[in-house]
Amino acid sequence: MKIKEIVSALEQFAPLPLQDGFDNAGLQIGLTDAEVTGALLCLDVTETVLDEAIALGFNLIIAHHPLIFKGYKSITGKDYVERCILKAIKNDLVIYAAHTNLDNAPEGVNFKIAEKIGLKNVRVLETKENALVKLVTFVPTAQAEDVRKALFNAGCGNIGNYDSCSYNLEGEGTFRASEGTHPYCGEIGEIHTEKEIRIETILLAYKKAEAVKALLAAHPYEEPAFDIYPLQNTWAQAGAGVIGELETTETELEFLKRIKKTFEVGCLKHNKLTGREIQTVALCGGAGAFLMPLAIRNHADVFITGEIKYHDYFGHENDILLAEIGHYESEQYTKEIFYTLIRDLFPNLEVQQTKVNTNPIKYM
């Protein structure tokens, strides 16, 4: 199989439009038309990881953190990023990164962390805004079902755990075809009235082009009429951080000790213990301190993330228990998401999680 098949599967799970504006997720280096010889999964791309892939005979590296974040005016090997770029190109390696798109994806990074902790009723903490649009079109009654199916197949009509959602209203459309047209119904030069169905359905904004293409292909009219409206509705399935509940409450100390063990944390930082019981848990992998106010507003007992600044600890001991477990530690299980996805879809592909611990932070 070709590398582009693997990339397509990754982007179906974590679409690139879900990434934050600062990010550089996606294909980093290489040509995806190459046949894949194996995939190595990692959190960070380093020279040692590249050496591991080369030794295994793998030509695809899938990382969580992008190797390339900024633009380069020259590639001379002056730092580890440039050396990795040179080595990857020299050895025909393809590097792909799924970063904040995987953070924000349904069942992405934060859902995996919640699974490791044992949370139930997990939902997104900060849902994606301006992610949805409504498509409205008008179709002759006899062809309405075909057009609906085409739109649903293109990703329209998904609301929460429901699919094939639409609203349909009967009415009449009028038009007059000019010379040189090829009308589906009616005569050139005469006003025609046609029984039509107004179809309304919702879709993700980044799927708009795909939906319009499907509409034009399935619609019988030469010039179909359709409207697309922006919506203020939130998309509850995607966004930053998650919140959920433990099946049974734990003391602060019991909970922190379990987190330290589960994520193999060398140094777990936290604010003052106040004797609260822990049941509602909010979290965000990586640098997620920006979600702390939202965790407090949602009445979480504890907020877990990879990085918290010194001054962010002040003044919250009565609001919430803060737990800082390290950036690498919080996102290390990202590799498991990649592994499960690829193993399920491509069972014959050789795939391994890196044996290299790429955490640049060491603890004494």
PDB file of all heavy atoms in Angstrom, residues 224-238:
ATOM      1  N   PRO A 224     -28.691  24.122  -9.976  1.00  0.00           N
ATOM      2  CA  PRO A 224     -29.364  23.945  -8.682  1.00  0.00           C
ATOM      3  C   PRO A 224     -29.225  25.191  -7.804  1.00  0.00           C
ATOM      4  O   PRO A 224     -28.169  25.841  -7.794  1.00  0.00           O
ATOM      5  CB  PRO A 224     -28.624  22.767  -8.048  1.00  0.00           C
ATOM      6  CG  PRO A 224     -27.911  22.089  -9.175  1.00  0.00           C
ATOM      7  CD  PRO A 224     -27.580  23.158 -10.161  1.00  0.00           C
ATOM      8  N   ALA A 225     -30.268  25.514  -7.074  1.00  0.00           N
ATOM      9  CA  ALA A 225     -30.215  26.613  -6.113  1.00  0.00           C
ATOM     10  C   ALA A 225     -29.889  26.024  -4.734  1.00  0.00           C
ATOM     11  O   ALA A 225     -30.467  25.012  -4.327  1.00  0.00           O
ATOM     12  CB  ALA A 225     -31.557  27.343  -6.064  1.00  0.00           C
ATOM     13  N   PHE A 226     -28.942  26.663  -4.051  1.00  0.00           N
ATOM     14  CA  PHE A 226     -28.645  26.232  -2.687  1.00  0.00           C
ATOM     15  C   PHE A 226     -28.079  27.415  -1.911  1.00  0.00           C
ATOM     16  O   PHE A 226     -27.531  28.360  -2.473  1.00  0.00           O
ATOM     17  CB  PHE A 226     -27.652  25.056  -2.671  1.00  0.00           C
ATOM     18  CG  PHE A 226     -26.301  25.361  -3.240  1.00  0.00           C
ATOM     19  CD1 PHE A 226     -25.267  25.831  -2.426  1.00  0.00           C
ATOM     20  CD2 PHE A 226     -26.039  25.191  -4.597  1.00  0.00           C
ATOM     21  CE1 PHE A 226     -24.017  26.108  -2.945  1.00  0.00           C
ATOM     22  CE2 PHE A 226     -24.790  25.477  -5.131  1.00  0.00           C
ATOM     23  CZ  PHE A 226     -23.775  25.934  -4.308  1.00  0.00           C
ATOM     24  N   ASP A 227     -28.258  27.369  -0.597  1.00  0.00           N
ATOM     25  CA  ASP A 227     -27.751  28.395   0.306  1.00  0.00           C
ATOM     26  C   ASP A 227     -26.926  27.727   1.398  1.00  0.00           C
ATOM     27  O   ASP A 227     -27.223  26.591   1.807  1.00  0.00           O
ATOM     28  CB  ASP A 227     -28.894  29.175   0.968  1.00  0.00           C
ATOM     29  CG  ASP A 227     -29.820  29.834  -0.041  1.00  0.00           C
ATOM     30  OD1 ASP A 227     -29.296  30.519  -0.933  1.00  0.00           O
ATOM     31  OD2 ASP A 227     -31.048  29.653   0.066  1.00  0.00           O
ATOM     32  N   ILE A 228     -25.916  28.432   1.892  1.00  0.00           N
ATOM     33  CA  ILE A 228     -25.112  27.952   3.018  1.00  0.00           C
ATOM     34  C   ILE A 228     -25.077  29.060   4.066  1.00  0.00           C
ATOM     35  O   ILE A 228     -24.670  30.188   3.768  1.00  0.00           O
ATOM     36  CB  ILE A 228     -23.696  27.558   2.579  1.00  0.00           C
ATOM     37  CG1 ILE A 228     -23.770  26.363   1.627  1.00  0.00           C
ATOM     38  CG2 ILE A 228     -22.831  27.219   3.796  1.00  0.00           C
ATOM     39  CD1 ILE A 228     -22.437  25.926   1.056  1.00  0.00           C
ATOM     40  N   TYR A 229     -25.518  28.719   5.289  1.00  0.00           N
ATOM     41  CA  TYR A 229     -25.594  29.695   6.370  1.00  0.00           C
ATOM     42  C   TYR A 229     -24.603  29.345   7.478  1.00  0.00           C
ATOM     43  O   TYR A 229     -24.547  28.176   7.907  1.00  0.00           O
ATOM     44  CB  TYR A 229     -27.003  29.716   6.985  1.00  0.00           C
ATOM     45  CG  TYR A 229     -28.122  29.993   6.019  1.00  0.00           C
ATOM     46  CD1 TYR A 229     -28.901  28.956   5.497  1.00  0.00           C
ATOM     47  CD2 TYR A 229     -28.421  31.293   5.628  1.00  0.00           C
ATOM     48  CE1 TYR A 229     -29.936  29.197   4.614  1.00  0.00           C
ATOM     49  CE2 TYR A 229     -29.472  31.554   4.749  1.00  0.00           C
ATOM     50  CZ  TYR A 229     -30.219  30.509   4.248  1.00  0.00           C
ATOM     51  OH  TYR A 229     -31.256  30.758   3.371  1.00  0.00           O
ATOM     52  N   PRO A 230     -23.867  30.321   7.992  1.00  0.00           N
ATOM     53  CA  PRO A 230     -23.040  30.064   9.186  1.00  0.00           C
ATOM     54  C   PRO A 230     -23.935  29.907  10.403  1.00  0.00           C
ATOM     55  O   PRO A 230     -25.006  30.529  10.494  1.00  0.00           O
ATOM     56  CB  PRO A 230     -22.172  31.326   9.299  1.00  0.00           C
ATOM     57  CG  PRO A 230     -22.957  32.394   8.611  1.00  0.00           C
ATOM     58  CD  PRO A 230     -23.724  31.715   7.504  1.00  0.00           C
ATOM     59  N   LEU A 231     -23.520  29.054  11.343  1.00  0.00           N
ATOM     60  CA  LEU A 231     -24.304  28.790  12.539  1.00  0.00           C
ATOM     61  C   LEU A 231     -23.525  29.135  13.793  1.00  0.00           C
ATOM     62  O   LEU A 231     -22.301  29.015  13.825  1.00  0.00           O
ATOM     63  CB  LEU A 231     -24.708  27.301  12.598  1.00  0.00           C
ATOM     64  CG  LEU A 231     -25.564  26.772  11.440  1.00  0.00           C
ATOM     65  CD1 LEU A 231     -25.805  25.277  11.622  1.00  0.00           C
ATOM     66  CD2 LEU A 231     -26.889  27.511  11.370  1.00  0.00           C
ATOM     67  N   GLN A 232     -24.239  29.529  14.831  1.00  0.00           N
ATOM     68  CA  GLN A 232     -23.637  29.792  16.128  1.00  0.00           C
ATOM     69  C   GLN A 232     -23.609  28.534  17.003  1.00  0.00           C
ATOM     70  O   GLN A 232     -23.018  28.543  18.079  1.00  0.00           O
ATOM     71  CB  GLN A 232     -24.414  30.892  16.858  1.00  0.00           C
ATOM     72  CG  GLN A 232     -24.323  32.260  16.193  1.00  0.00           C
ATOM     73  CD  GLN A 232     -22.906  32.815  16.219  1.00  0.00           C
ATOM     74  OE1 GLN A 232     -22.237  32.776  17.243  1.00  0.00           O
ATOM     75  NE2 GLN A 232     -22.450  33.331  15.079  1.00  0.00           N
ATOM     76  N   ASN A 233     -24.239  27.464  16.544  1.00  0.00           N
ATOM     77  CA  ASN A 233     -24.262  26.227  17.319  1.00  0.00           C
ATOM     78  C   ASN A 233     -22.848  25.732  17.594  1.00  0.00           C
ATOM     79  O   ASN A 233     -21.953  25.870  16.753  1.00  0.00           O
ATOM     80  CB  ASN A 233     -25.005  25.116  16.559  1.00  0.00           C
ATOM     81  CG  ASN A 233     -26.375  25.545  16.103  1.00  0.00           C
ATOM     82  OD1 ASN A 233     -26.530  26.613  15.513  1.00  0.00           O
ATOM     83  ND2 ASN A 233     -27.366  24.715  16.338  1.00  0.00           N
ATOM     84  N   THR A 234     -22.649  25.132  18.765  1.00  0.00           N
ATOM     85  CA  THR A 234     -21.354  24.527  19.066  1.00  0.00           C
ATOM     86  C   THR A 234     -21.336  23.095  18.556  1.00  0.00           C
ATOM     87  O   THR A 234     -22.381  22.427  18.462  1.00  0.00           O
ATOM     88  CB  THR A 234     -21.077  24.532  20.574  1.00  0.00           C
ATOM     89  OG1 THR A 234     -22.133  23.832  21.246  1.00  0.00           O
ATOM     90  CG2 THR A 234     -20.983  25.954  21.106  1.00  0.00           C
ATOM     91  N   TRP A 235     -20.143  22.627  18.239  1.00  0.00           N
ATOM     92  CA  TRP A 235     -19.954  21.235  17.838  1.00  0.00           C
ATOM     93  C   TRP A 235     -19.415  20.508  19.064  1.00  0.00           C
ATOM     94  O   TRP A 235     -18.227  20.561  19.362  1.00  0.00           O
ATOM     95  CB  TRP A 235     -18.995  21.169  16.658  1.00  0.00           C
ATOM     96  CG  TRP A 235     -18.738  19.783  16.159  1.00  0.00           C
ATOM     97  CD1 TRP A 235     -19.552  18.700  16.272  1.00  0.00           C
ATOM     98  CD2 TRP A 235     -17.570  19.329  15.460  1.00  0.00           C
ATOM     99  NE1 TRP A 235     -18.980  17.594  15.687  1.00  0.00           N
ATOM    100  CE2 TRP A 235     -17.768  17.951  15.186  1.00  0.00           C
ATOM    101  CE3 TRP A 235     -16.408  19.951  15.045  1.00  0.00           C
ATOM    102  CZ2 TRP A 235     -16.809  17.199  14.519  1.00  0.00           C
ATOM    103  CZ3 TRP A 235     -15.454  19.197  14.371  1.00  0.00           C
ATOM    104  CH2 TRP A 235     -15.654  17.837  14.107  1.00  0.00           C
ATOM    105  N   ALA A 236     -20.296  19.840  19.780  1.00  0.00           N
ATOM    106  CA  ALA A 236     -19.967  19.300  21.093  1.00  0.00           C
ATOM    107  C   ALA A 236     -18.986  18.145  21.045  1.00  0.00           C
ATOM    108  O   ALA A 236     -18.387  17.793  22.062  1.00  0.00           O
ATOM    109  CB  ALA A 236     -21.252  18.857  21.809  1.00  0.00           C
ATOM    110  N   GLN A 237     -18.782  17.542  19.866  1.00  0.00           N
ATOM    111  CA  GLN A 237     -17.919  16.367  19.778  1.00  0.00           C
ATOM    112  C   GLN A 237     -16.438  16.705  19.630  1.00  0.00           C
ATOM    113  O   GLN A 237     -15.590  15.814  19.731  1.00  0.00           O
ATOM    114  CB  GLN A 237     -18.352  15.479  18.595  1.00  0.00           C
ATOM    115  CG  GLN A 237     -19.602  14.658  18.856  1.00  0.00           C
ATOM    116  CD  GLN A 237     -20.843  15.505  18.957  1.00  0.00           C
ATOM    117  OE1 GLN A 237     -21.078  16.413  18.155  1.00  0.00           O
ATOM    118  NE2 GLN A 237     -21.662  15.247  19.952  1.00  0.00           N
ATOM    119  N   ALA A 238     -16.099  17.956  19.375  1.00  0.00           N
ATOM    120  CA  ALA A 238     -14.695  18.308  19.124  1.00  0.00           C
ATOM    121  C   ALA A 238     -14.334  19.572  19.877  1.00  0.00           C
ATOM    122  O   ALA A 238     -15.179  20.445  20.101  1.00  0.00           O
ATOM    123  CB  ALA A 238     -14.458  18.495  17.624  1.00  0.00           C
TER     124      ALA A 238
END
